[in-house]
Amino acid sequence: MPTIPNDSPLELSPDLTVRGIRPPLRLRDFKLIAFDMDSTLINIECVDEIADAAGRKAEVAAITEAAMRGEITDYKESLRQRVALLKGVTEEQVAQVYRNRLRLNPGAAELVLACKSAGLKVLLVSGGFTYFSDRLRDRLGLDFARSNLLEVEGGQLTGRIVPQSWGDICDGAMKRETVLRTCSLIGCSPTQAIAMGDGANDLEMMGAVGLSVAYRAKPRVREQAKVAIDMGGLDRLLELFGAD
């Protein structure tokens, strides 16, 4: 992959900046693209919107914002605190968040389709919840999805997260491990992977791959990514790639 010095950002067009690479690249040279979900692939932070049903959105959103900015170092504990505040929210209220509030970010479907057409596998790896990630996986035809499982009893959230076979909570370290394991599973090098995210818990996976992309991201994430998309849709990433 052609490179330029990491401290020499190149502005391709307004609100699209790259560093450490020299476009045009070839999309077919990559084998995997990994997306964060909340505020990256989709327009909302699901935990905040579920909290709205419990009348606790402001409280939960403040914790989410601090975690995404990297001001809270223990992501697992921050998520446990937020999920505890969701106790008593009904499954129907969670469903309403999916139906009424969740939207794909602009260009999401187009980017996924372009990547699949170029032969890439697509991974959704999230610190959010399976209720949303599994539906997005099926809706977009994604190859893999990993996120956290909310415990439900009697049709209501208990305020707890259910451990899964791979671990308890999908935090930054688990996102990185998931990307690396997926690379191994499909037989590619991490340098042949792309990772897109917006928050501090995405930095570990973004640092493990060949092409890291910050989408409307927090300042710390934007500064460390090879590509920063500040306006427009996710499909603006395709501006980096020439015709195969």
Side-chain angles (χ1 to χ4, degrees), residues 12-215:
L12 293 182
S13 59
D15 306 308
L16 177 63
T17 304
V18 303
R19 55 171 59 83
I21 56 173
R22 175 72 69 181
L25 309 176
R26 281 170 42 93
L27 191 54
R28 289 187 182 275
D29 288 340
F30 294 89
K31 304 301 180 186
L32 175 71
I33 184 166
F35 290 96
D36 168 54
M37 183 172 68
D38 296 63
S39 298
T40 300
L41 192 68
I42 63 174
N43 65 321
I44 60 172
E45 293 285 339
C46 293
V47 67
D48 297 355
E49 300 307 315
I50 298 171
D52 196 22
R56 290 174 162 170
K57 183 173 181 177
E59 184 178 355
V60 169
I63 301 173
T64 300
E65 176 68 12
M68 293 303 99
R69 292 180 67 88
E71 295 164 1
I72 296 176
T73 56
D74 190 340
Y75 179 85
K76 288 187 177 184
E77 182 56 31
S78 81
L79 186 61
R80 290 190 186 100
Q81 290 174 7
R82 285 174 283 165
V83 169
L85 295 171
L86 306 181
K87 183 177 181 180
V89 173
T90 67
E91 288 184 286
E92 175 55 28
Q93 288 172 314
V94 175
Q96 287 174 8
V97 171
Y98 180 78
R99 291 196 303 265
N100 301 331
R101 302 192 184 192
L102 184 152
R103 299 290 182 269
L104 294 175
N105 267 329
E110 291 82 357
L111 178 56
V112 168
L113 180 60
C115 288
K116 290 171 68 70
S117 297
L120 282 73
K121 297 296 185 183
V122 185
L123 164 67
L124 180 58
V125 57
S126 172
F129 308 119
T130 57
Y131 185 93
F132 305 98
S133 64
D134 289 356
R135 284 164 174 76
L136 290 167
R137 177 195 61 204
D138 297 342
R139 177 175 166 183
L140 294 171
L142 310 182
D143 298 286
F144 312 99
R146 173 169 289 177
S147 59
N148 302 302
L149 178 60
L150 292 169
E151 185 178 65
V152 178
E153 291 181 357
Q156 296 184 336
L157 302 186
T158 66
R160 295 186 294 270
I161 298 170
V162 180
Q164 299 178 74
S165 60
W166 46 262
D168 56 352
I169 290 177
C170 189
D171 61 354
M174 180 52 65
K175 285 190 174 192
R176 179 181 184 275
E177 181 178 334
T178 301
V179 169
L180 294 178
R181 286 190 176 186
T182 305
C183 286
S184 179
L185 178 67
I186 67 176
C188 78
S189 163
T191 61
Q192 296 174 293
I194 304 168
M196 298 189 72
D198 74 298
N201 63 327
D202 297 315
L203 285 171
E204 291 188 60
M205 74 169 180
M206 291 169 67
V209 301
L211 185 61
S212 55
V213 185
Y215 181 70

Side-chain angles (χ1 to χ4, degrees), residues 218-236:
K218 304 304 180 188
R220 179 179 167 194
V221 180
R222 189 187 188 283
E223 291 164 5
Q224 295 187 37
K226 289 185 177 179
V227 180
I229 301 171
D230 296 328
M231 295 289 290
L234 286 131
D235 57 341
R236 292 200 65 195

